[in-house]
Amino acid sequence: MHNFMQMQPNSSARKEYDDIVNDTPTLVHIPGTKKKVKLTGMKPYTIERLTMLWSEREMSITKDAPATLKSLCREPYFSVKEACLMVSNSYLKIIFIYPVKWRIWAYLKGYTEDQMTPIIMEGKKKLPLMGHWQNMAFSVDMRTDWMKMTAKEAEQYRAELLSAANQLSSRSTPATEERKAFSVGSLK
């Protein structure tokens, strides 16, 4: 009985998991201020805009270290832009409010990288990756090339996909108990 109780997640882990599953808004305090911002689950348009922001930055960076430092000088407000996208988190807010909001946060309020870190950390937890990777693993059976594979090739591919899904989702969500239950054996 005692070992069983030790294996159970503690109440804070269960609450965090429930918050992710139910998309409970999270209030995040901006360090050094009295301001709090609310974050909810990332919507597809927000994820697209974050991807565009990263793509634009990566195109201007080359592989050597001095170029990376130059990119920081060219784009010193990258973290502010990321955090503002996460807080805006809707098509209309991103179109109309985000362009003004990130400039206010960067220029008028002078928010720093360190002040944006808690927002970005919490925003990462709000990405719906676990469900995405589960759906990818479950729907792989419907592909025509999958049907033409040998049984051994198919199982190897499925195992690789699930391994990648578990590895990627472990970086983005704290839903460890759900990942443990989601394994190759549970799909058979």
Side-chain angles (χ1 to χ4, degrees):
M1 177 74 172
H2 182 58
N3 287 340
F4 177 73
M5 293 302 287
Q6 287 178 341
M7 293 182 350
Q8 295 298 311
N10 63 26
S11 60
S12 64
R14 282 194 304 266
K15 183 189 177 323
E16 192 170 340
Y17 174 74
D18 287 341
D19 289 347
I20 291 168
V21 170
N22 298 321
D23 192 22
T24 305
T26 305
L27 285 177
V28 180
H29 177 259
I30 299 176
T33 69
K34 293 180 181 179
K35 183 158 178 68
K36 290 183 180 183
V37 294
K38 185 177 8 175
L39 290 176
T40 58
M42 292 294 126
K43 295 182 179 149
Y45 186 70
T46 305
I47 296 169
E48 287 176 28
R49 287 302 302 263
L50 285 166
T51 303
M52 286 173 45
L53 189 64
W54 269 99
S55 296
E56 291 167 3
R57 182 183 172 113
E58 286 174 352
M59 284 193 285
S60 68
I61 297 174
T62 58
K63 301 295 181 210
D64 60 340
T68 303
L69 292 175
K70 286 179 191 173
S71 77
L72 288 173
C73 294
R74 263 187 257 135
E75 187 58 79
Y77 303 113
F78 183 76
S79 294
V80 173
K81 288 179 178 181
E82 271 186 313
C84 280
L85 280 170
M86 291 175 181
V87 170
S88 298
N89 197 26
S90 81
Y91 178 79
L92 292 176
K93 287 181 182 177
I94 289 173
I95 296 298
F96 295 113
I97 297 172
Y98 162 76
V100 175
K101 185 178 210 147
W102 84 258
R103 287 173 175 87
I104 290 171
W105 282 20
Y107 300 125
L108 295 179
K109 297 191 179 208
Y111 288 156
T112 64
E113 301 260 340
D114 292 335
Q115 289 175 305
M116 298 295 101
T117 301
I119 297 170
I120 294 169
M121 284 175 51
E122 189 63 34
K124 184 178 178 199
K125 293 177 188 176
K126 298 290 186 176
L127 285 170
L129 288 179
M130 191 60 182
H132 170 74
W133 287 110
Q134 282 179 333
N135 290 341
M136 293 278 293
F138 290 139
S139 66
V140 76
D141 291 336
M142 293 181 256
R143 295 175 41 183
T144 57
D145 57 345
W146 174 268
M147 293 174 200
K148 294 176 184 173
M149 289 182 187
T150 66
K152 184 177 180 180
E153 290 172 328
E155 280 305 312
Q156 181 180 357
Y157 180 77
R158 179 184 278 172
E160 289 171 4
L161 183 61
L162 289 172
S163 173
N166 286 334
Q167 209 172 30
L168 287 171
S169 66
S170 68
R171 294 182 193 152
S172 65
T173 63
T176 54
E177 292 304 313
E178 186 175 326
R179 278 193 303 278
K180 288 178 185 175
F182 182 70
S183 65
V184 176
S186 66
L187 289 179
K188 290 183 180 178

